Amino acid sequence: MVKNWTVEDSANLYNLRGWSLRYFDINAEGHLTVHPRRSPELTIDVKGVVDAAIARGIRLPVLFRFQDILRHRVALLNETFRKAIADHKYQGRYFGVYPIKVNQLCEVVEEILDAGQPYQYGLEAGSKGELLAVLAMNSAQSLTILNGYKDETMMRLALMGVKLGKKIIVVIERSSEVKLLLKVAREMGVRPLIGLRCKLQTQGTGRWKYSTGHVSKFGLNTPELLGAVATLAEAGMRDCVKLLHFHIGSQVSDIQSIKDAAKEGARVYAKLRRKKLDLEYLDCGGGLGVDYDGTHTAVDSSTNYTPREYVNGIVYTIQEVCKQEGVPEPHIVTESGRSVVAHHSFMVVDAVGIIESGATPVDLPAAEKESEVVREMRDTLQEINPKNLAESYHDALQRREEAFSMFKLGYLELEEKAKVENLFWRICQEIDKLLPKAKFISEDLLEMGKTVRAQYLCNFSVFQSLPDAWAIGQLFPIMPLHRLDEEPTQRAALVDITCDSDGKIVQFACHRKTGGALPLHPLRDGEPYYVGFFLMGAYQATMGDIHNLFGRVNEVHVFEDAGEPGGYYLEEVVHGQTVRDMLTSVQYHDEELIKLMKDQIDAQVKAGAIKPREGVELLDAYEAVMGHYTYIDRNAMRVPDEIPAAKPA
Ligand SMILES: *Cc1c(COP(=O)(O)O)cnc(C)c1O
């Protein structure tokens, strides 16, 4: 351990100040802390929360939700718009909606509605299921926006909402939806509230940049837009068109695209307005990004702007265009999902072991009569420094090839081959360790680094809990929750407990400071090591899958409360899925499986191979596992000190 390592060094290493938006910090004990309302007076020790949950019998992995963070995000977005509107003396108001696809969990939506109530903050739905949920949950004061492809049933449901006095706006995505909506409206005798989604030419930046432009699957191009207006006018429903919508994709990384889109969208609004279309709302969609890696740059996992810049950019741009065109300033709608929910939840997993690829169980000392190639490898190892990393690696690769050829031809003994393999591994490790000090890191060194890192085996499934890390290489901040006053000396990658070699995380949000690896502490015997995955609130929960039949994880909802010990209480526990749940989801039924097992046990009993009493015990043991959590039990993994003596027959 290097002396004088401080918690501040840890904060720098994991770029905590970059991504945490002051919701997280580190205390003097070296534990991560959370400040749900960003007020420094109230600090909650995250390790304490985890220990408290475990003491209540809740197994890891656990997803923790801080409802106070969620409320804070909702208030912040709305207050930021209010302030920008006041500062610019903007004439319209802000009516935000939360798109529930980003996190549909009922508790999340309820909390958002409650926190958003003073702002008339509404909801957005994009499918039949989501529509049923928002129709029942949203109040009549706030907007309800229906996007996505719609069939007649969805339109009927939406108009049912209008009958109930709700402000539900049906956004037309395709020309054919116009006539369908008109038919349903006539049949139900309802005057609908209509939105039109236009395809912008402005493209977003980042991974979802093809959500707009002529190749996008959503929205009306200009001829279609004019056609829709004409059809509605003919049907006498011109005055029902209330909203113009656009959406340039999620996680827009560059503020310039946001402003360009607002400019183009506002221009379309203004031109329609001048055609005597009484549009009241301009809906700028989602796209407000989250700075996952904390670098404040326009790369995919970051944003080069803050939410305040985003809000000011939109308000100012729309105002400018409206001034030029001489049209009233519309109410502004945005459909921010990611930025509202990402921060409020994090998952805690325990590291249950380390897989070290090149460690050698035998001593391989230098010998006098050693092959030249071994000695050269030894020299290469000795001479590595931050300036010759690539050269050393290429030398080592070449020597290793030479050694393998010699071995095949019979010129090298097994011991020497072992030395070459071991030296090669040590060279790679040494290079990897020096990567953070290198001026430039080539792609092959980064790739090499991934192969020599200690793989920390963690109790979770990437496919269930971090689907975007696997599917699209999304980066999430990951760091230990404790021992942050101690230097993390291991350069690690994380592997999950699925039987899939894709079940791992090798790219980290802190990569720029660490030369690609995740710095972690060596595990200590008998002591748990908790690793947190942060900014997990957006999109991950319902996109996860059941690969290997690992199910939904346990969830704990934490509330801030200055009156309680530790400043919080654990309100609600949503138990994760059991082995039985997962088997049922793929059509195995526990009674049938148990019956099949019982028949086989009975046969063995009949044959005299096992005693009847033992048969009962075996069946009970089988049945009991049905009710277990799908993840592994850390306590049941402890390696015994001694193997017990064989039982007498
Ligand atoms: C997904 C989606 C959103 C949410 O976008 P975020 O980037 O998560 O804020 C908003 N509007 C529409 C139409 C969407 O499809």
Side-chain angles (χ1 to χ4, degrees), residues 471-526:
I472 55 170
Q474 160 92 54
L475 303 179
F476 292 93
I478 300 173
M479 65 181 285
L481 304 184
H482 53 135
R483 292 171 66 183
L484 295 167
D485 51 354
E486 188 187 313
E487 185 177 10
T489 51
Q490 293 267 36
R491 293 176 53 75
L494 302 181
V495 292
D496 73 5
I497 56 169
T498 66
C499 309
D500 193 313
S501 46
D502 267 1
K504 62 186 175 188
I505 301 180
V506 294
Q507 308 229 55
F508 302 96
C510 59
H511 62 109
R512 279 179 235 201
K513 295 208 172 178
T514 63
L518 179 68
L520 289 177
H521 303 89
L523 299 185
R524 289 186 193 133
D525 261 353

Short mmCIF file of all heavy atoms in Angstrom, two decimals, residues 471-526:
data_model
loop_
_atom_site.label_atom_id
_atom_site.label_comp_id
_atom_site.label_asym_id
_atom_site.label_seq_id
_atom_site.Cartn_x
_atom_site.Cartn_y
_atom_site.Cartn_z
N ALA A 471 -25.16 -4.88 -24.66
CA ALA A 471 -25.72 -4.73 -26.00
C ALA A 471 -25.08 -3.60 -26.79
O ALA A 471 -24.84 -3.72 -27.98
CB ALA A 471 -27.24 -4.52 -25.91
N ILE A 472 -24.80 -2.48 -26.15
CA ILE A 472 -24.32 -1.32 -26.91
C ILE A 472 -23.06 -0.72 -26.32
O ILE A 472 -22.68 0.39 -26.68
CB ILE A 472 -25.42 -0.24 -27.02
CG1 ILE A 472 -25.93 0.16 -25.63
CG2 ILE A 472 -26.59 -0.70 -27.87
CD1 ILE A 472 -26.83 1.38 -25.66
N GLY A 473 -22.40 -1.45 -25.39
CA GLY A 473 -21.15 -0.95 -24.86
C GLY A 473 -21.30 0.31 -24.02
O GLY A 473 -20.36 1.09 -23.89
N GLN A 474 -22.48 0.52 -23.46
CA GLN A 474 -22.71 1.71 -22.62
C GLN A 474 -21.81 1.65 -21.38
O GLN A 474 -21.65 0.60 -20.77
CB GLN A 474 -24.19 1.70 -22.20
CG GLN A 474 -24.53 2.52 -20.99
CD GLN A 474 -24.94 3.92 -21.37
OE1 GLN A 474 -25.84 4.11 -22.18
NE2 GLN A 474 -24.26 4.89 -20.81
N LEU A 475 -21.21 2.78 -21.05
CA LEU A 475 -20.37 2.83 -19.86
C LEU A 475 -21.20 3.28 -18.66
O LEU A 475 -22.02 4.17 -18.77
CB LEU A 475 -19.22 3.83 -20.05
CG LEU A 475 -18.30 3.60 -21.24
CD1 LEU A 475 -17.24 4.68 -21.30
CD2 LEU A 475 -17.65 2.22 -21.16
N PHE A 476 -20.96 2.67 -17.52
CA PHE A 476 -21.57 3.10 -16.27
C PHE A 476 -20.45 3.34 -15.27
O PHE A 476 -19.46 2.61 -15.26
CB PHE A 476 -22.50 2.02 -15.71
CG PHE A 476 -23.73 1.79 -16.54
CD1 PHE A 476 -23.75 0.83 -17.53
CD2 PHE A 476 -24.86 2.55 -16.34
CE1 PHE A 476 -24.87 0.63 -18.32
CE2 PHE A 476 -25.99 2.36 -17.12
CZ PHE A 476 -26.00 1.39 -18.11
N PRO A 477 -20.63 4.33 -14.39
CA PRO A 477 -19.63 4.47 -13.33
C PRO A 477 -19.69 3.27 -12.39
O PRO A 477 -20.78 2.88 -11.97
CB PRO A 477 -20.04 5.75 -12.60
CG PRO A 477 -21.11 6.39 -13.42
CD PRO A 477 -21.69 5.35 -14.31
N ILE A 478 -18.54 2.69 -12.11
CA ILE A 478 -18.48 1.53 -11.22
C ILE A 478 -17.35 1.79 -10.24
O ILE A 478 -16.26 2.20 -10.64
CB ILE A 478 -18.18 0.24 -12.04
CG1 ILE A 478 -19.28 0.00 -13.07
CG2 ILE A 478 -18.05 -0.98 -11.11
CD1 ILE A 478 -19.00 -1.15 -14.02
N MET A 479 -17.60 1.57 -8.96
CA MET A 479 -16.52 1.75 -7.97
C MET A 479 -16.87 1.02 -6.68
O MET A 479 -18.03 0.72 -6.42
CB MET A 479 -16.27 3.24 -7.70
CG MET A 479 -17.41 3.97 -7.05
SD MET A 479 -17.04 5.74 -6.79
CE MET A 479 -15.93 5.64 -5.40
N PRO A 480 -15.84 0.72 -5.86
CA PRO A 480 -16.13 0.08 -4.57
C PRO A 480 -16.82 1.07 -3.63
O PRO A 480 -16.64 2.28 -3.77
CB PRO A 480 -14.75 -0.31 -4.04
CG PRO A 480 -13.75 0.46 -4.84
CD PRO A 480 -14.40 0.88 -6.10
N LEU A 481 -17.56 0.53 -2.67
CA LEU A 481 -18.30 1.39 -1.74
C LEU A 481 -17.51 1.69 -0.48
O LEU A 481 -17.92 2.50 0.34
CB LEU A 481 -19.60 0.71 -1.29
CG LEU A 481 -20.57 0.26 -2.36
CD1 LEU A 481 -21.82 -0.29 -1.71
CD2 LEU A 481 -20.91 1.42 -3.27
N HIS A 482 -16.41 1.00 -0.29
CA HIS A 482 -15.65 1.16 0.95
C HIS A 482 -14.16 0.94 0.66
O HIS A 482 -13.79 0.69 -0.47
CB HIS A 482 -16.17 0.20 2.04
CG HIS A 482 -16.24 -1.23 1.62
ND1 HIS A 482 -15.81 -2.26 2.40
CD2 HIS A 482 -16.69 -1.82 0.48
CE1 HIS A 482 -16.00 -3.41 1.77
NE2 HIS A 482 -16.53 -3.17 0.61
N ARG A 483 -13.34 1.10 1.70
CA ARG A 483 -11.87 1.04 1.58
C ARG A 483 -11.34 2.13 0.64
O ARG A 483 -10.29 1.96 0.00
CB ARG A 483 -11.44 -0.35 1.11
CG ARG A 483 -11.70 -1.41 2.18
CD ARG A 483 -11.48 -2.82 1.68
NE ARG A 483 -10.10 -3.11 1.36
CZ ARG A 483 -9.67 -4.26 0.84
NH1 ARG A 483 -10.55 -5.24 0.63
NH2 ARG A 483 -8.41 -4.45 0.56
N LEU A 484 -12.06 3.24 0.54
CA LEU A 484 -11.64 4.29 -0.39
C LEU A 484 -10.53 5.17 0.18
O LEU A 484 -10.02 6.06 -0.49
CB LEU A 484 -12.85 5.14 -0.80
CG LEU A 484 -13.89 4.34 -1.59
CD1 LEU A 484 -15.21 5.09 -1.70
CD2 LEU A 484 -13.37 4.00 -2.99
N ASP A 485 -10.12 4.88 1.43
CA ASP A 485 -8.96 5.56 2.00
C ASP A 485 -7.70 4.72 1.79
O ASP A 485 -6.65 4.97 2.37
CB ASP A 485 -9.18 5.83 3.50
CG ASP A 485 -9.60 4.58 4.24
OD1 ASP A 485 -9.83 3.52 3.58
OD2 ASP A 485 -9.71 4.64 5.48
N GLU A 486 -7.83 3.72 0.95
CA GLU A 486 -6.74 2.77 0.73
C GLU A 486 -6.52 2.69 -0.78
O GLU A 486 -7.50 2.67 -1.54
CB GLU A 486 -7.26 1.43 1.26
CG GLU A 486 -6.30 0.31 1.35
CD GLU A 486 -7.05 -0.98 1.72
OE1 GLU A 486 -7.88 -0.95 2.65
OE2 GLU A 486 -6.82 -1.98 1.06
N GLU A 487 -5.30 2.65 -1.22
CA GLU A 487 -5.08 2.63 -2.67
C GLU A 487 -5.56 1.32 -3.28
O GLU A 487 -5.20 0.23 -2.81
CB GLU A 487 -3.60 2.82 -3.01
CG GLU A 487 -3.41 2.90 -4.51
CD GLU A 487 -1.99 3.16 -4.95
OE1 GLU A 487 -1.08 3.10 -4.10
OE2 GLU A 487 -1.80 3.41 -6.15
N PRO A 488 -6.37 1.40 -4.34
CA PRO A 488 -6.79 0.17 -5.02
C PRO A 488 -5.67 -0.30 -5.94
O PRO A 488 -5.45 0.29 -6.98
CB PRO A 488 -8.04 0.59 -5.79
CG PRO A 488 -7.92 2.06 -5.96
CD PRO A 488 -6.96 2.59 -4.94
N THR A 489 -4.96 -1.33 -5.55
CA THR A 489 -3.74 -1.70 -6.27
C THR A 489 -3.96 -2.69 -7.41
O THR A 489 -3.06 -2.93 -8.21
CB THR A 489 -2.73 -2.31 -5.30
OG1 THR A 489 -3.41 -3.34 -4.57
CG2 THR A 489 -2.20 -1.26 -4.34
N GLN A 490 -5.15 -3.29 -7.46
CA GLN A 490 -5.40 -4.26 -8.53
C GLN A 490 -5.99 -3.56 -9.74
O GLN A 490 -6.84 -2.69 -9.60
CB GLN A 490 -6.41 -5.30 -8.04
CG GLN A 490 -5.89 -6.17 -6.94
CD GLN A 490 -5.27 -7.44 -7.51
OE1 GLN A 490 -4.64 -7.42 -8.58
NE2 GLN A 490 -5.43 -8.53 -6.81
N ARG A 491 -5.54 -3.99 -10.92
CA ARG A 491 -6.15 -3.47 -12.15
C ARG A 491 -7.10 -4.55 -12.65
O ARG A 491 -6.66 -5.59 -13.12
CB ARG A 491 -5.08 -3.14 -13.16
CG ARG A 491 -4.21 -1.99 -12.68
CD ARG A 491 -3.06 -1.70 -13.61
NE ARG A 491 -3.45 -1.50 -15.01
CZ ARG A 491 -4.05 -0.40 -15.46
NH1 ARG A 491 -4.34 0.58 -14.66
NH2 ARG A 491 -4.35 -0.28 -16.74
N ALA A 492 -8.39 -4.26 -12.54
CA ALA A 492 -9.34 -5.35 -12.69
C ALA A 492 -10.29 -5.19 -13.86
O ALA A 492 -10.42 -4.12 -14.45
CB ALA A 492 -10.16 -5.47 -11.40
N ALA A 493 -10.95 -6.31 -14.20
CA ALA A 493 -12.14 -6.33 -15.04
C ALA A 493 -13.17 -7.08 -14.21
O ALA A 493 -12.81 -7.76 -13.24
CB ALA A 493 -11.84 -7.07 -16.34
N LEU A 494 -14.45 -6.98 -14.58
CA LEU A 494 -15.48 -7.67 -13.80
C LEU A 494 -16.08 -8.79 -14.64
O LEU A 494 -16.36 -8.60 -15.81
CB LEU A 494 -16.59 -6.70 -13.40
CG LEU A 494 -16.19 -5.47 -12.58
CD1 LEU A 494 -17.41 -4.63 -12.26
CD2 LEU A 494 -15.47 -5.89 -11.30
N VAL A 495 -16.26 -9.94 -14.03
CA VAL A 495 -17.00 -11.00 -14.72
C VAL A 495 -18.21 -11.37 -13.87
O VAL A 495 -18.16 -11.31 -12.65
CB VAL A 495 -16.13 -12.26 -14.99
CG1 VAL A 495 -15.07 -11.96 -16.02
CG2 VAL A 495 -15.50 -12.81 -13.73
N ASP A 496 -19.30 -11.71 -14.55
CA ASP A 496 -20.51 -12.05 -13.81
C ASP A 496 -20.60 -13.56 -13.63
O ASP A 496 -19.68 -14.29 -13.99
CB ASP A 496 -21.75 -11.45 -14.48
CG ASP A 496 -22.14 -12.17 -15.78
OD1 ASP A 496 -21.51 -13.20 -16.12
OD2 ASP A 496 -23.07 -11.70 -16.45
N ILE A 497 -21.71 -14.04 -13.05
CA ILE A 497 -21.79 -15.47 -12.76
C ILE A 497 -22.57 -16.24 -13.82
O ILE A 497 -22.92 -17.40 -13.61
CB ILE A 497 -22.40 -15.73 -11.36
CG1 ILE A 497 -23.76 -15.05 -11.23
CG2 ILE A 497 -21.46 -15.25 -10.27
CD1 ILE A 497 -24.54 -15.49 -9.99
N THR A 498 -22.86 -15.62 -14.97
CA THR A 498 -23.51 -16.40 -16.03
C THR A 498 -22.46 -17.28 -16.70
O THR A 498 -21.26 -17.05 -16.56
CB THR A 498 -24.13 -15.49 -17.12
OG1 THR A 498 -23.07 -14.79 -17.79
CG2 THR A 498 -25.11 -14.50 -16.53
N CYS A 499 -22.94 -18.28 -17.45
CA CYS A 499 -22.01 -19.16 -18.16
C CYS A 499 -21.78 -18.63 -19.56
O CYS A 499 -21.72 -19.39 -20.52
CB CYS A 499 -22.58 -20.56 -18.27
SG CYS A 499 -23.13 -21.20 -16.72
N ASP A 500 -21.69 -17.34 -19.70
CA ASP A 500 -21.54 -16.74 -21.01
C ASP A 500 -20.28 -15.89 -20.99
O ASP A 500 -20.12 -15.05 -20.11
CB ASP A 500 -22.77 -15.86 -21.30
CG ASP A 500 -22.86 -15.46 -22.76
OD1 ASP A 500 -21.82 -15.02 -23.31
OD2 ASP A 500 -23.94 -15.57 -23.34
N SER A 501 -19.40 -16.10 -21.97
CA SER A 501 -18.16 -15.35 -21.92
C SER A 501 -18.39 -13.86 -22.19
O SER A 501 -17.53 -13.04 -21.93
CB SER A 501 -17.12 -15.94 -22.87
OG SER A 501 -17.71 -16.20 -24.10
N ASP A 502 -19.57 -13.50 -22.71
CA ASP A 502 -19.92 -12.08 -22.84
C ASP A 502 -20.32 -11.47 -21.50
O ASP A 502 -20.50 -10.26 -21.41
CB ASP A 502 -21.10 -11.91 -23.79
CG ASP A 502 -20.66 -11.66 -25.21
OD1 ASP A 502 -19.44 -11.64 -25.45
OD2 ASP A 502 -21.53 -11.48 -26.07
N GLY A 503 -20.47 -12.31 -20.51
CA GLY A 503 -20.94 -11.82 -19.21
C GLY A 503 -19.84 -11.17 -18.41
O GLY A 503 -19.42 -11.67 -17.37
N LYS A 504 -19.34 -10.06 -18.92
CA LYS A 504 -18.24 -9.39 -18.24
C LYS A 504 -18.26 -7.91 -18.56
O LYS A 504 -18.91 -7.47 -19.51
CB LYS A 504 -16.91 -10.00 -18.66
CG LYS A 504 -16.63 -9.85 -20.13
CD LYS A 504 -15.37 -10.59 -20.52
CE LYS A 504 -15.19 -10.52 -22.03
NZ LYS A 504 -14.13 -11.36 -22.51
N ILE A 505 -17.54 -7.13 -17.80
CA ILE A 505 -17.41 -5.70 -18.08
C ILE A 505 -15.92 -5.38 -18.14
O ILE A 505 -15.19 -5.61 -17.18
CB ILE A 505 -18.11 -4.85 -17.01
CG1 ILE A 505 -19.60 -5.23 -16.98
CG2 ILE A 505 -17.95 -3.37 -17.31
CD1 ILE A 505 -20.40 -4.47 -15.97
N VAL A 506 -15.48 -4.92 -19.31
CA VAL A 506 -14.05 -4.63 -19.49
C VAL A 506 -13.81 -3.16 -19.83
O VAL A 506 -12.67 -2.74 -19.98
CB VAL A 506 -13.42 -5.53 -20.58
CG1 VAL A 506 -13.41 -6.97 -20.14
CG2 VAL A 506 -14.17 -5.40 -21.90
N GLN A 507 -14.90 -2.38 -19.98
CA GLN A 507 -14.73 -0.97 -20.29
C GLN A 507 -15.38 -0.17 -19.18
O GLN A 507 -16.53 -0.43 -18.83
CB GLN A 507 -15.46 -0.63 -21.58
CG GLN A 507 -15.06 -1.55 -22.68
CD GLN A 507 -14.72 -0.78 -23.92
OE1 GLN A 507 -13.87 0.10 -23.88
NE2 GLN A 507 -15.36 -1.09 -25.01
N PHE A 508 -14.66 0.81 -18.70
CA PHE A 508 -15.14 1.52 -17.53
C PHE A 508 -15.21 3.01 -17.77
O PHE A 508 -14.41 3.56 -18.54
CB PHE A 508 -14.24 1.20 -16.34
CG PHE A 508 -14.20 -0.28 -16.07
CD1 PHE A 508 -13.19 -1.07 -16.58
CD2 PHE A 508 -15.24 -0.88 -15.39
CE1 PHE A 508 -13.20 -2.44 -16.39
CE2 PHE A 508 -15.25 -2.25 -15.19
CZ PHE A 508 -14.23 -3.03 -15.69
N ALA A 509 -16.15 3.63 -17.07
CA ALA A 509 -16.33 5.06 -17.24
C ALA A 509 -15.08 5.83 -16.83
O ALA A 509 -14.80 6.89 -17.35
CB ALA A 509 -17.54 5.53 -16.44
N CYS A 510 -14.29 5.26 -15.91
CA CYS A 510 -13.09 5.97 -15.45
C CYS A 510 -11.87 5.64 -16.31
O CYS A 510 -10.74 5.90 -15.93
CB CYS A 510 -12.81 5.63 -13.99
SG CYS A 510 -12.57 3.88 -13.67
N HIS A 511 -12.10 5.05 -17.51
CA HIS A 511 -10.98 4.51 -18.30
C HIS A 511 -9.87 5.50 -18.61
O HIS A 511 -8.72 5.14 -18.69
CB HIS A 511 -11.49 3.87 -19.59
CG HIS A 511 -12.18 4.83 -20.50
ND1 HIS A 511 -11.63 5.23 -21.68
CD2 HIS A 511 -13.36 5.48 -20.41
CE1 HIS A 511 -12.44 6.08 -22.28
NE2 HIS A 511 -13.50 6.25 -21.53
N ARG A 512 -10.24 6.77 -18.78
CA ARG A 512 -9.20 7.73 -19.18
C ARG A 512 -8.20 7.99 -18.07
O ARG A 512 -7.09 8.40 -18.33
CB ARG A 512 -9.83 9.03 -19.62
CG ARG A 512 -10.31 8.90 -21.04
CD ARG A 512 -10.96 10.16 -21.47
NE ARG A 512 -12.28 9.81 -21.93
CZ ARG A 512 -12.99 10.56 -22.74
NH1 ARG A 512 -12.52 11.71 -23.12
NH2 ARG A 512 -14.16 10.17 -23.13
N LYS A 513 -8.63 7.79 -16.85
CA LYS A 513 -7.69 8.04 -15.75
C LYS A 513 -6.92 6.78 -15.38
O LYS A 513 -5.98 6.83 -14.62
CB LYS A 513 -8.46 8.53 -14.53
CG LYS A 513 -9.12 9.86 -14.78
CD LYS A 513 -9.28 10.66 -13.51
CE LYS A 513 -9.76 12.05 -13.89
NZ LYS A 513 -10.00 12.90 -12.77
N THR A 514 -7.38 5.64 -15.86
CA THR A 514 -6.81 4.39 -15.36
C THR A 514 -6.19 3.56 -16.47
O THR A 514 -5.81 2.42 -16.23
CB THR A 514 -7.90 3.54 -14.69
OG1 THR A 514 -8.86 3.20 -15.70
CG2 THR A 514 -8.58 4.29 -13.57
N GLY A 515 -6.10 4.11 -17.68
CA GLY A 515 -5.55 3.32 -18.78
C GLY A 515 -6.39 2.09 -19.05
O GLY A 515 -5.87 1.04 -19.40
N GLY A 516 -7.71 2.20 -18.88
CA GLY A 516 -8.62 1.13 -19.31
C GLY A 516 -9.13 0.20 -18.24
O GLY A 516 -10.16 -0.42 -18.41
N ALA A 517 -8.42 0.07 -17.11
CA ALA A 517 -8.84 -0.93 -16.12
C ALA A 517 -9.73 -0.30 -15.05
O ALA A 517 -9.89 0.91 -14.98
CB ALA A 517 -7.61 -1.52 -15.45
N LEU A 518 -10.33 -1.16 -14.23
CA LEU A 518 -11.05 -0.69 -13.05
C LEU A 518 -10.16 -0.97 -11.85
O LEU A 518 -9.89 -2.12 -11.53
CB LEU A 518 -12.37 -1.43 -12.89
CG LEU A 518 -13.19 -1.00 -11.65
CD1 LEU A 518 -13.70 0.42 -11.82
CD2 LEU A 518 -14.34 -1.96 -11.42
N PRO A 519 -9.68 0.07 -11.17
CA PRO A 519 -8.83 -0.18 -10.01
C PRO A 519 -9.68 -0.70 -8.84
O PRO A 519 -10.70 -0.11 -8.52
CB PRO A 519 -8.26 1.20 -9.67
CG PRO A 519 -8.64 2.10 -10.81
CD PRO A 519 -9.83 1.50 -11.45
N LEU A 520 -9.26 -1.82 -8.28
CA LEU A 520 -9.98 -2.38 -7.13
C LEU A 520 -8.97 -2.81 -6.07
O LEU A 520 -7.78 -2.92 -6.34
CB LEU A 520 -10.83 -3.59 -7.56
CG LEU A 520 -12.07 -3.31 -8.41
CD1 LEU A 520 -12.74 -4.62 -8.82
CD2 LEU A 520 -13.06 -2.40 -7.70
N HIS A 521 -9.48 -3.08 -4.87
CA HIS A 521 -8.61 -3.51 -3.78
C HIS A 521 -8.49 -5.03 -3.76
O HIS A 521 -9.42 -5.72 -4.17
CB HIS A 521 -9.20 -3.05 -2.44
CG HIS A 521 -9.41 -1.56 -2.39
ND1 HIS A 521 -10.58 -0.97 -2.81
CD2 HIS A 521 -8.59 -0.56 -2.01
CE1 HIS A 521 -10.47 0.35 -2.67
NE2 HIS A 521 -9.28 0.63 -2.20
N PRO A 522 -7.36 -5.54 -3.27
CA PRO A 522 -7.25 -6.99 -3.13
C PRO A 522 -8.34 -7.46 -2.15
O PRO A 522 -8.65 -6.74 -1.20
CB PRO A 522 -5.86 -7.21 -2.53
CG PRO A 522 -5.14 -5.91 -2.67
CD PRO A 522 -6.16 -4.83 -2.79
N LEU A 523 -8.90 -8.63 -2.41
CA LEU A 523 -9.93 -9.14 -1.49
C LEU A 523 -9.26 -9.62 -0.21
O LEU A 523 -8.14 -10.11 -0.23
CB LEU A 523 -10.70 -10.30 -2.13
CG LEU A 523 -11.45 -9.97 -3.41
CD1 LEU A 523 -12.26 -11.19 -3.88
CD2 LEU A 523 -12.38 -8.77 -3.22
N ARG A 524 -9.97 -9.45 0.91
CA ARG A 524 -9.45 -9.97 2.17
C ARG A 524 -10.30 -11.14 2.61
O ARG A 524 -11.53 -11.11 2.44
CB ARG A 524 -9.52 -8.90 3.25
CG ARG A 524 -8.53 -7.77 3.06
CD ARG A 524 -8.60 -6.86 4.26
NE ARG A 524 -7.90 -5.62 4.03
CZ ARG A 524 -8.41 -4.42 4.32
NH1 ARG A 524 -9.61 -4.32 4.87
NH2 ARG A 524 -7.71 -3.34 4.08
N ASP A 525 -9.62 -12.11 3.20
CA ASP A 525 -10.32 -13.32 3.63
C ASP A 525 -11.47 -13.00 4.57
O ASP A 525 -11.31 -12.24 5.51
CB ASP A 525 -9.33 -14.23 4.38
CG ASP A 525 -8.83 -15.31 3.45
OD1 ASP A 525 -9.34 -15.38 2.31
OD2 ASP A 525 -7.92 -16.06 3.85
N GLY A 526 -12.62 -13.59 4.29
CA GLY A 526 -13.74 -13.49 5.22
C GLY A 526 -14.36 -12.10 5.32
O GLY A 526 -15.18 -11.86 6.19
#
